[in-house]
Amino acid sequence: MQDKEKFMMEALKEAKKAYNKEEIPVGAVIVRDGKIIARGHNLKETDNRATHHAEIMAINKASRRINNWRLIDCEMYVTLEPCTMCMGAIVASRIKKAYIGAMDELGGACGSVLNVLDYKFNHKVEVETGILKEECEYILKDFFKMLRDKKRRSKMKIAEIFDKKSIHTYIIIAVLVISISIAGLLMLKYQVEGEKNLPFNVTQISVISTAKGIHNRGEDNQWSTVLSQKNDIYFKIEKNSEYKKEAIIKKIIFNNFEITKESELGEIGIYRPSQKDCEYNYEEETIIKDSLEYSGGQFTDTEILEINNQGGVIGFSILNRNVGECTFSENEVIPSDGKLLKLANVELKEIKIKISFDMIIETEDGKKFRASIIFELPEESILEDGVSKQEIGLSDIVFKRF
């Protein structure tokens, strides 16, 4: 065996070290006076350094060995054609000659991709290729085959795991999808239908609308009447017979009032009862400013804002002041209800309003249920009959726990 082949075999031993570390198997040795003074193999992945090629590692070790960066009269044996970086380092370190095993058609800088030696440098490196070419090519091919096999085995192992667990996985996914769907449907159903088993139900909402006048004697035996239109709203609350647990009303609250008028006629106010049985005096102190709260008690007494803790009838009133005026002679019979509106030429659209508010039922055990309620009033019959009685539909009133 010639010396060239002997030293290339040593470079192949270095390449094998890289192979065992799953590095691309490239090895290099540097020879001086017939003796190896430095060895190196590819450590780019191990050290996470782009420059840690076999040639660079060997050059650095050789420089430390002889304590000189100039590697004059040194030869390098490398299993793969150096790249531009490594060929530049070989030139810069003044290596006399480079012996190369396999050529690198993708990155070689000694003729495969480009030839660094075609450029004019202050040092000329001799190059000889094809030293143990087949052996150097084999270790590279075997390495990449090993990587492909490993990758294929990994895929097969993953596929095998999934094959074993696929049925269980699909079942788990199906159960999760069904559970999420059911939960979503239940939430949607609750948003639409609300609480189905309230401890107390609102069984009736009634509105009685009419008008009243303030009469003032004028000249020539004439009477002047200033009109207000009023709407008394009643809520009947009863214990739910289907609710089997004990329940006691703590509070009934009305809040978040909003009133929309179709015309600018009149001045609207919302009033609490001033007497028992939802009677009103419409005084300043009975105006509801933010909310109206009834407390649960032994009896229902609207004057003191108390409802029987097992249910009762409570309410509030909406008064639209100064909606019209009419005059009468002393001998005329003056109506005392909504017919006054027609005599004053007040049209229904001028007194029509839309009211919205929240109603909250709170029980002693801390449960709270809220519903948003909206309706229009008064009805058209107020102009002809003087009084309109309106029953508000309960199907759209949905109580939800909060």
Side-chain angles (χ1 to χ4, degrees):
M1 178 183 292
Q2 297 182 10
D3 286 346
K4 290 186 290 186
E5 294 176 347
K6 180 181 73 172
F7 291 130
M8 187 60 74
M9 285 298 296
E10 294 299 318
L12 278 168
K13 290 179 182 178
E14 290 298 314
K16 184 63 176 177
K17 292 178 183 178
Y19 185 109
N20 294 335
K21 297 175 182 177
E22 294 192 1
E23 297 272 5
I24 295 176
V26 180
V29 296
I30 294 176
V31 177
R32 184 183 186 188
D33 298 330
K35 295 181 180 180
I36 296 174
I37 64 170
R39 299 171 178 267
H41 57 270
N42 186 20
L43 289 172
K44 185 168 67 173
E45 300 296 335
T46 302
D47 295 346
N48 202 24
R49 295 288 186 273
T51 58
H52 282 198
H53 290 197
E55 300 93 321
I56 303 296
M57 305 303 289
I59 288 171
N60 289 339
K61 288 180 181 179
S63 296
R64 287 195 297 270
R65 174 76 177 272
I66 67 173
N67 197 28
N68 195 330
W69 63 266
R70 295 179 180 86
L71 302 180
I72 299 170
D73 296 330
C74 290
E75 298 171 342
M76 175 179 284
Y77 292 81
V78 59
T79 60
L80 182 66
E81 181 183 4
C83 65
T84 52
M85 175 186 70
C86 294
M87 201 59 207
I90 290 169
V91 172
S93 62
R94 307 294 194 268
I95 288 176
K96 179 180 179 182
K97 187 171 182 177
Y99 295 92
I100 299 170
M103 300 302 284
D104 183 0
E105 295 179 359
L106 298 178
C110 293
S112 292
V113 175
L114 59 86
N115 194 341
V116 171
L117 301 179
D118 288 342
Y119 297 87
K120 227 176 193 185
F121 293 104
N122 59 357
H123 175 70
K124 189 74 173 176
V125 179
E126 297 179 46
V127 172
E128 184 177 340
T129 63
I131 312 302
L132 297 183
K133 177 183 176 183
E134 292 182 0
E135 290 86 343
C136 293
E137 287 179 344
Y138 176 81
I139 193 171
L140 287 164
K141 291 177 181 178
D142 187 63
F143 173 77
F144 288 112
K145 180 178 180 297
M146 179 270 292
L147 287 185
R148 289 192 297 272
D149 291 345
K150 185 177 181 180
K151 189 174 182 180
R152 185 166 57 250
R153 287 194 300 270
S154 178
K155 286 183 178 179
M156 290 175 62
K157 188 173 182 180
I158 292 171
E160 184 180 349
I161 292 170
F162 273 101
D163 285 343
K164 289 180 180 179
K165 295 185 177 180
S166 59
I167 296 176
H168 297 89
T169 302
Y170 292 142
I171 291 173
I172 291 170
I173 291 172
V175 170
L176 285 173
V177 170
I178 293 170
S179 300
I180 292 170
S181 300
I182 291 173
L185 289 171
L186 290 174
M187 290 175 66
L188 179 61
K189 183 178 180 182
Y190 186 80
Q191 291 300 316
V192 174
E193 298 180 359
E195 197 76 29
K196 282 300 186 182
N197 191 29
L198 288 164
F200 296 91
N201 289 326
V202 178
T203 57
Q204 187 177 9
I205 301 177
S206 303
V207 182
I208 298 179
S209 302
T210 186
K212 67 173 189 171
I214 298 175
H215 309 296
N216 300 301
R217 180 187 286 274
E219 298 178 355
D220 301 326
N221 294 323
Q222 293 289 314
W223 288 87
S224 174
T225 301
V226 178
L227 305 180
S228 296
Q229 192 273 312
K230 69 189 190 80
N231 308 277
D232 296 341
I233 306 172
Y234 301 89
F235 300 84
K236 187 176 183 180
I237 301 166
E238 294 182 311
K239 179 72 168 30
N240 181 6
S241 59
E242 300 296 323
Y243 193 82
K244 301 306 181 183
K245 298 179 182 179
E246 182 182 353
I248 298 172
I249 293 174
K250 182 179 180 180
K251 296 177 184 177
I252 305 292
I253 301 171
F254 301 93
N255 59 15
N256 296 326
F257 292 96
E258 289 188 13
I259 294 179
T260 304
K261 298 169 59 177
E262 294 190 8
S263 77
E264 297 300 321
L265 188 67
E267 300 171 3
I268 290 181
I270 308 174
Y271 295 82
R272 50 153 287 187
S274 57
Q275 301 173 45
K276 293 182 179 181
D277 302 322
C278 291
E279 295 292 331
Y280 302 88
N281 61 16
Y282 299 106
E283 297 294 337
E284 181 76 19
E285 63 269 14
T286 63
I287 293 178
I288 300 171
K289 295 181 180 179
D290 297 312
S291 64
L292 174 62
E293 180 178 310
Y294 285 88
S295 299
Q298 190 173 359
F299 305 101
T300 297
D301 187 342
T302 58
E303 183 178 2
I304 60 173
L305 298 180
E306 193 170 283
I307 181 174
N308 182 281
N309 59 30
Q310 293 301 296
V313 177
I314 56 176
F316 56 84
S317 184
I318 301 173
L319 183 69
N320 196 356
R321 294 181 184 271
N322 304 323
V323 296
E325 187 174 346
C326 54
T327 57
F328 301 92
S329 64
E330 188 174 15
N331 296 324
E332 286 184 88
V333 177
I334 303 175
S336 60
D337 54 24
K339 294 176 182 177
L340 287 165
L341 299 169
K342 189 173 183 180
L343 293 174
N345 296 317
V346 176
E347 298 182 5
L348 182 67
K349 65 180 181 181
E350 294 179 304
I351 56 173
K352 196 79 171 178
I353 64 172
K354 179 185 287 185
I355 180 170
S356 65
F357 56 92
D358 289 343
M359 181 178 181
I360 297 171
I361 300 175
E362 182 178 348
T363 57
E364 286 288 352
D365 58 0
K367 294 185 176 68
K368 295 181 181 180
F369 306 91
R370 176 170 53 206
S372 295
I373 302 173
I374 182 169
F375 53 85
E376 294 183 346
L377 49 83
E379 292 193 323
E380 189 173 2
S381 59
I382 188 175
L383 300 177
E384 296 295 335
D385 301 336
V387 177
S388 72
K389 295 181 179 180
Q390 181 179 354
E391 297 295 328
I392 305 301
L394 302 176
S395 59
D396 294 332
I397 299 175
V398 177
F399 278 90
K400 300 172 189 173
R401 191 167 175 176
F402 71 102

